[in-house]
Amino acid sequence: MSDAAAAPGGRPAAFWMRLGLVSALVLLALVIWGGKIYLTRLFSEDQNADAAVRATLYAGSLQSAMQRHSVVPLLLSRDPILIEALEDGQFGEADERLTTFREEIGAGSIFLLDAGGRVVAASDDRPRGEDGSAADFFTLPMADAANNTAYSIVERPDGGGYAFHYSRRLVGEDGAPLGVIVVTVDLGLHEESWRRARVKVVVTDGEGTVLLASEPNWRGKTLANLLATDDSPSRVGQAIYDARRTLGSPSFVYIAGAPHLRSEVKVGFRSWTLTYFPTLEGVRAQVNAVLALIVMGFALLVALAFYLLSRRARAESRRIQRESDELRLLNRRLSFEMAARRRVERNLKDAEQSLEQASKLAALGQMSAAVSHELNQPLAAMKTYLAGARLLVHRRRPEEALSSFQRIDDLIDRMGGITRQLKSYARKGDGEFDLEPVDLRDSVRAALSMMAPQLNKTPVTITTTLPREPAVVMADALRIEQIIVNLLRNALDAVRGRPDRQIKIFLALGETVLLSIEDNGPGITAPDKLFEPFYTTKKPGEGLGLGLAISAGFAAELGGRLVARNAPDGGAVFELVLPRDRARSAPAQAAE
Ligand code: ADP
């Protein structure tokens, strides 16, 4: 099975999954970074607009305070009570007047100086007789020929910032200066309200010096100085700041390390400028909230992807499980089948063995029948000869009896030969026999005489054609005879059913010795099986099926062969071809 989990390119699925996750994280980081910048800019713009409005409001309120106060000296410089007081030197009424006036307009404080610059009346309890002759609020109006309202600014001795004054000369009917009325503008309330609202606001004059500030310690410094020295951003902060600038984000200033926007508005009074620094904390919170939503969405997406992937993996593993289950089942079935097959094979082997045993037993039975038959023939012949010999002895014809004994002796030899043959077959050609020159003509004659009883029983015409020279082969005479007897007996069996029975024996000489025995029987039906051991068409007890097998084997051992064919006019022809022994044939031939 090919690895279903392997993606193209041979990399495992886990690699692609990891790559996907990493790229998703990188993408997320980019989205967060870009989103943060974009959103900060977006929200900052809102904030900026808001800041501009607020700054305008702050500036407006400052301007109106200044304007409100600026008219106070003009109003009071013509006040008859004050003028009268200065002329009379009685200030009780003047004090009252100033106090009520202050309460009406909500000014910081109002006080009256005499022509010598000493405080003579005040809305508050400042010490009377205090010398203010050197202060700007006295000298400026005293010196002003046009007698306008003078504006002056004094740094407070207690470090509480600056005091802003409007002052004007009071003059008598003759035009002589009587004194100076001064109103102090208290902008500390504004500062206080900024502080309370936790907003960072500064007001600078034309030179950039901080006059008013939500942070008291900023007063008196220049704004440029403040922003340059106070909590400048770190290197990383600077880099981010630069990057934001390049991307067109609004510019920030860092106050106490925290980024703030900057919104500047002209106050509309003496080139004052109000600068408002709205904090970015709100923007940050907004941006972070949106980013948190993005991250959450991303996490949800990743979770969904993982869920889908794991579902696929689960399905895959279920499939594999199913497949392996099927495989296991198949395996079990296969092993069952194999076991069954083994059983069948064993049974078959058993059956074969028993069959073999049975056929062996059958062969043994056949063979014992054949052997006993084979031996019975000479035994019966011996019995006949013995009876004949006994008769001859009784008749005192010992010579003839002797020849009978000789025949009996021959038969005994033959029986010995048969058992030897069987033994030799049992040994199956271990070549243990004595080779000697054998004249096949003698063998034919011997075989014929051995066959005499049978031949007498079944009348048959035997034509024997023998050469005049000896047909010598190197062989075992008994075996050769046995081959011939075997062939003759087969021929006799073959012609038995024929009315005119003929057997032709023909011995020819050449390079080899050829003995052919031809009959006019039915011929050969199974030429391939003929020489197989135990092949027989005869009834049990009549044939062993060994004759041809043994004979062919013997012929082969002698360097010759035994072949069979059918004659043209029917009937079988058996030919025994053996190597001729010329050396021994020649002297015999010469002797003849
Ligand atoms: P057996 O004679 O004991 O049957 P053989 O080996 O001698 O054994 O012969 C085997 C078989 O060959 C015979 O059973 C017979 O069928 C066949 N056969 C042998 N000689 C002849 C023949 N001359 N004509 C026809 N068939 C023959």
Side-chain angles (χ1 to χ4, degrees), residues 486 490-491 493-494 519 522-524 530 535-538 542-549 572 574:
N486 203 20
N490 280 346
D493 289 338
D519 61 64
I524 299 152
L530 217 53
Y535 170 73
T536 178
T537 54
K538 292 166 193 172
E542 285 181 10
L544 209 57
L546 282 172
L548 287 177
F574 283 84

Side-chain angles (χ1 to χ4, degrees), residues 370 374 486-495 517-519 521-526 529-539 542-551 564 566 571-574:
E374 206 78 4
N486 203 20
L487 293 176
L488 281 175
R489 195 182 306 130
N490 280 346
L492 198 62
D493 289 338
V495 298
I517 296 173
E518 184 182 340
D519 61 64
I524 299 152
T525 43
K529 289 190 180 162
L530 217 53
F531 295 98
E532 279 178 16
F534 297 111
Y535 170 73
T536 178
T537 54
K538 292 166 193 172
K539 279 181 263 167
E542 285 181 10
L544 209 57
L546 282 172
L548 287 177
I550 294 172
S551 303
N566 281 323
V573 182
F574 283 84

Side-chain angles (χ1 to χ4, degrees), residues 194-499:
W194 297 335
R195 241 194 316 278
R196 267 206 303 270
R198 294 175 189 283
V199 292
K200 298 207 167 21
V201 178
V202 293
V203 175
T204 47
D205 62 12
E207 277 90 59
T209 307
V210 176
L211 300 177
L212 298 167
S214 53
E215 317 297 309
N217 57 337
W218 287 358
R219 283 189 291 246
K221 299 176 180 164
T222 64
L223 193 57
N225 212 335
L226 256 179
L227 296 180
T229 55
D230 188 56
D231 306 308
S232 56
S234 64
R235 280 237 297 273
V236 178
Q238 185 63 47
I240 294 172
Y241 174 80
D242 291 344
R244 281 172 172 155
R245 282 197 71 111
T246 338
L247 282 163
S249 300
S251 54
F252 304 110
V253 288
Y254 283 80
I255 299 168
H260 286 74
L261 288 166
R262 177 183 186 151
S263 189
E264 281 182 357
V265 171
K266 288 277 164 215
V267 177
F269 175 76
R270 296 199 160 250
S271 66
W272 281 14
T273 305
L274 184 139
T275 311
Y276 170 42
F277 299 104
T279 172
L280 269 179
E281 287 309 316
V283 171
R284 264 191 178 168
Q286 272 175 308
V287 169
N288 288 346
V290 173
L291 289 181
L293 275 178
I294 290 176
V295 170
M296 216 157 79
F298 179 81
L300 274 176
L301 270 179
V302 168
L304 189 75
F306 270 112
Y307 169 72
L308 289 178
L309 276 175
S310 81
R311 219 174 62 163
R312 226 180 63 183
R314 261 208 309 280
E316 180 75 3
S317 81
R318 261 207 302 279
R319 192 177 63 75
I320 290 171
Q321 179 69 36
R322 211 166 41 238
E323 269 179 9
S324 70
D325 279 354
E326 278 168 17
L327 223 70
R328 211 169 309 137
L329 213 72
L330 208 71
N331 215 4
R332 205 171 313 147
R333 219 160 57 205
L334 212 71
S335 52
F336 269 145
E337 275 173 16
M338 265 158 70
R341 210 192 126 106
R342 266 202 296 276
R343 232 177 1 255
V344 166
E345 267 175 7
R346 215 169 26 243
N347 287 350
L348 200 72
K349 205 133 105 209
D350 288 352
E352 267 175 3
Q353 269 171 2
S354 54
L355 202 71
E356 208 178 325
Q357 200 67 22
S359 67
K360 267 185 195 162
L361 284 174
L364 204 66
Q366 257 181 17
M367 201 162 127
S368 31
V371 169
S372 57
H373 172 79
E374 206 78 4
L375 293 177
N376 272 340
Q377 271 184 335
L379 278 176
M382 274 160 72
K383 206 167 174 146
T384 316
Y385 284 129
L386 262 177
R390 196 179 291 137
L391 212 66
L392 287 169
V393 170
H394 276 304
R395 290 185 186 166
R396 302 189 192 282
R397 282 152 66 181
E399 295 305 315
E400 285 168 73
L402 265 182
S403 83
S404 280
F405 286 136
Q406 181 57 48
R407 279 172 196 253
I408 289 169
D409 201 29
D410 288 350
L411 283 170
I412 287 171
D413 280 351
R414 194 174 125 67
M415 283 166 74
I418 289 171
T419 47
R420 213 173 36 249
Q421 195 180 33
L422 280 170
K423 236 164 78 190
S424 87
Y425 189 74
R427 281 202 306 272
K428 221 165 181 195
D430 55 1
E432 204 187 289
F433 48 83
D434 308 318
L435 286 186
E436 54 187 351
V438 177
D439 187 345
L440 279 193
R441 296 179 303 179
D442 296 343
S443 305
V444 170
R445 284 184 204 117
L448 279 173
S449 88
M450 235 182 291
M451 285 293 291
Q454 284 111 309
L455 293 173
N456 290 338
K457 227 190 279 171
T458 316
V460 58
T461 315
I462 297 180
T463 323
T464 310
T465 313
L466 300 177
R468 290 183 53 229
E469 313 115 76
V472 182
V473 294
M474 286 302 287
D476 171 356
L478 257 177
R479 286 206 183 195
I480 294 286
E481 272 169 40
Q482 212 186 328
I483 292 176
I484 300 168
V485 166
N486 203 20
L487 293 176
L488 281 175
R489 195 182 306 130
N490 280 346
L492 198 62
D493 289 338
V495 298
R496 188 156 282 142
R498 300 264 152 176

Side-chain angles (χ1 to χ4, degrees), residues 463-467 504-509 514-518:
T463 323
T464 310
T465 313
L466 300 177
K504 291 177 191 160
I505 303 170
F506 179 74
L507 187 60
L509 292 174
L514 173 96
L515 174 71
S516 96
I517 296 173
E518 184 182 340

Side-chain angles (χ1 to χ4, degrees), residues 155-202:
E155 199 166 343
R156 285 184 206 217
D158 56 358
Y162 296 91
F164 307 95
H165 304 287
Y166 284 112
S167 51
R168 200 179 177 103
R169 216 165 51 208
L170 282 83
V171 287
E173 269 166 37
D174 53 354
L178 296 174
V180 171
I181 180 78
V182 184
V183 59
T184 306
V185 188
D186 188 6
L187 294 177
L189 285 172
H190 287 82
E191 289 183 317
E192 185 58 36
S193 73
W194 297 335
R195 241 194 316 278
R196 267 206 303 270
R198 294 175 189 283
V199 292
K200 298 207 167 21
V201 178
V202 293

